[in-house]
Amino acid sequence: MEARFDFFANPLAAKVLRHINSAGRAVTDSGLPHATQELVKIRASQINGCGFCTDMHTKDAAAAGETAVRLHLVAAWREATVFTEAERAALELTEQGTRIADAAGGVGDEAWAEAAKHYDEDQLAALISLIAVINAYNRINVINRQPAGGYRPGQFG
């Protein structure tokens, strides 16, 4: 499989990615736990069918010390006992925020209340922003058919 075109080498695309990357850095530097950030990125990427981002974030999470068991169970987090209540709330918000078009009411009040129980306002702002940013990355890579499998942890800095 090959990408449709070299998105990363295109000057306009590079300009867009700089802005998205800047937003991503703001989230990375927030008070939202890094393990939660990776779980959110992995789950949204799975839902969106983005192999490139799923590859990247599972490898980055593993390199940061995430266990193989937790990484393997992200797709089935509801049935897994290895996630904290806060992580489960973040994963639910991620699913509803990623599948926003599938629900007439968007993100439900119950999912929001559960997330608000575990995260302060800055962390909620980071969580909302992260869900939006990873969905943007996913869409770019899926539309471009960016191939997965060759990512090396830390490759992009």
Side-chain angles (χ1 to χ4, degrees), residues 6 9 11 20 23 48 53 59-61 63-64 86 89 91 97 106 112 115-116 119 128 141 144 154:
D6 191 349
I20 298 173
N48 289 321
C53 288
K59 287 177 179 174
D60 282 346
L91 289 165
W112 177 258
Y119 300 102
I128 293 166
N141 288 318
N144 193 42

Side-chain angles (χ1 to χ4, degrees), residues 2-116:
E2 290 184 26
R4 289 182 161 142
F5 85 109
D6 191 349
F7 192 84
F8 301 110
N10 180 276
L12 177 60
K15 186 175 182 179
V16 170
L17 286 175
R18 275 195 301 276
H19 290 287
I20 298 173
N21 289 341
S22 179
R25 270 191 300 282
V27 173
T28 299
D29 296 339
S30 73
L32 188 64
H34 288 282
T36 302
Q37 291 183 40
E38 290 300 334
L39 295 173
V40 164
K41 291 184 270 191
I42 293 164
R43 187 62 190 127
S45 299
Q46 290 171 335
I47 292 166
N48 289 321
C50 184
F52 185 82
C53 288
T54 301
D55 180 41
M56 175 191 298
H57 297 298
T58 55
K59 287 177 179 174
D60 282 346
E66 188 59 79
T67 69
V69 169
R70 283 170 44 97
L71 291 175
H72 292 304
L73 289 173
V74 171
W77 65 269
R78 281 183 179 81
E79 294 79 25
T81 60
V82 296
F83 301 105
T84 68
E85 289 302 312
E87 290 168 338
R88 297 170 70 74
L91 289 165
E92 180 65 35
L93 195 65
T94 300
E95 287 199 4
Q96 289 190 28
T98 298
R99 294 182 167 141
I100 206 161
D102 296 344
V107 174
D109 291 338
E110 188 177 318
W112 177 258
E114 189 63 25

